[in-house]
């Protein structure tokens, strides 16, 4: 009734909102300075649920202004956040690489080449799969 008197028909419509910590603190200051009840303060600031003010006040007394920040809704995550991808290193020129790095790269490329040759030889030797007759049931 107090919300209707303060805000008219707009006070009766549904309102889904979340409030930041600064707004909640300003609501408390006004409530404490003027000696208003939770219901009167909710009507003044157009807050639909007057009961949440007592919850906000309890959290403020326990944890300070940080406790008034909007909380994350839903079930907490069980899996950790994925690690950030590492920054790719700039490719080195062959002139700046050491002899050992060049030999290691040469060895890797030779192994890769041999693997691909073997794979190609195996795919050529393998006959094409025969089609199976469909079974009747």
């Amino acid at each position: 009734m107090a919300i209707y008197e303060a805000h008219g028909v707009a006070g009766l419509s549904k309102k889904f909102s979340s409030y930041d910590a600064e707004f909640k603190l300003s609501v408390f200051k006004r409530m404490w300075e003027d000696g208003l009840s939770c219901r009167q303060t909710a009507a003044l600031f157009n807050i639909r649920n007057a009961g949440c003010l007592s919850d906000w006040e309890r959290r403020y007394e326990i944890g300070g202004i940080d406790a008034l920040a909007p909380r994350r809704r839903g079930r907490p995550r069980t899996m950790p956040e994925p690690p950030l991808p590492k920054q790719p290193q700039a490719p080195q020129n062959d002139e700046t690489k050491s002899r050992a790095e060049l030999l290691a790269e040469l060895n890797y490329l030779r192994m890769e080449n041999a693997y691909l040759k073997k794979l190609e030889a195996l795919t050529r030797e393998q006959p094409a799969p025969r089609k199976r007759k469909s079974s009747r049931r």
Side-chain angles (χ1 to χ4, degrees):
M1 187 72 167
I3 289 180
Y4 177 75
E5 291 173 1
H7 301 284
V9 178
L12 298 177
S13 64
K14 284 189 175 185
K15 181 181 172 186
F16 299 101
S17 58
S18 61
Y19 305 101
D20 61 343
E22 298 300 322
F23 174 77
K24 292 176 185 178
L25 191 58
S26 67
V27 169
F28 290 141
K29 286 181 181 177
R30 179 73 185 270
M31 185 170 82
W32 295 330
E33 288 171 359
D34 295 345
L36 301 173
S37 69
C38 289
R39 198 172 289 235
Q40 291 169 332
T41 308
L44 182 67
F45 286 96
N46 198 14
I47 299 173
R48 299 290 190 261
N49 184 7
C52 70
L53 291 176
S54 59
D55 182 46
W56 293 351
E57 191 173 20
R58 181 180 41 80
R59 283 194 280 148
Y60 177 72
E61 290 171 356
I62 293 172
I65 192 153
D66 293 333
L68 294 178
R71 294 179 290 174
R72 186 176 180 146
R73 299 181 69 133
R75 188 173 181 170
R77 291 183 175 185
T78 56
M79 294 189 62
E81 293 290 325
L84 296 174
K86 295 181 181 177
Q87 295 292 335
Q89 293 181 351
Q92 295 179 345
N93 293 339
D94 288 340
E95 290 82 26
T96 60
K97 290 182 181 178
S98 69
R99 184 174 195 281
E101 290 174 328
L102 289 172
L103 288 175
E105 184 180 359
L106 178 64
N107 190 27
Y108 175 79
L109 292 174
R110 284 180 178 166
M111 285 190 303
E112 184 180 23
N113 194 15
Y115 176 80
L116 292 173
K117 284 182 180 179
K118 184 69 174 177
L119 180 65
E120 185 180 349
L122 288 174
T123 55
R124 283 188 182 173
E125 288 177 8
Q126 197 173 27
R130 294 185 295 174
K131 259 190 166 177
R132 293 184 178 184
K133 292 183 182 179
S134 61
S135 63
R136 290 187 178 177
R137 290 188 182 212

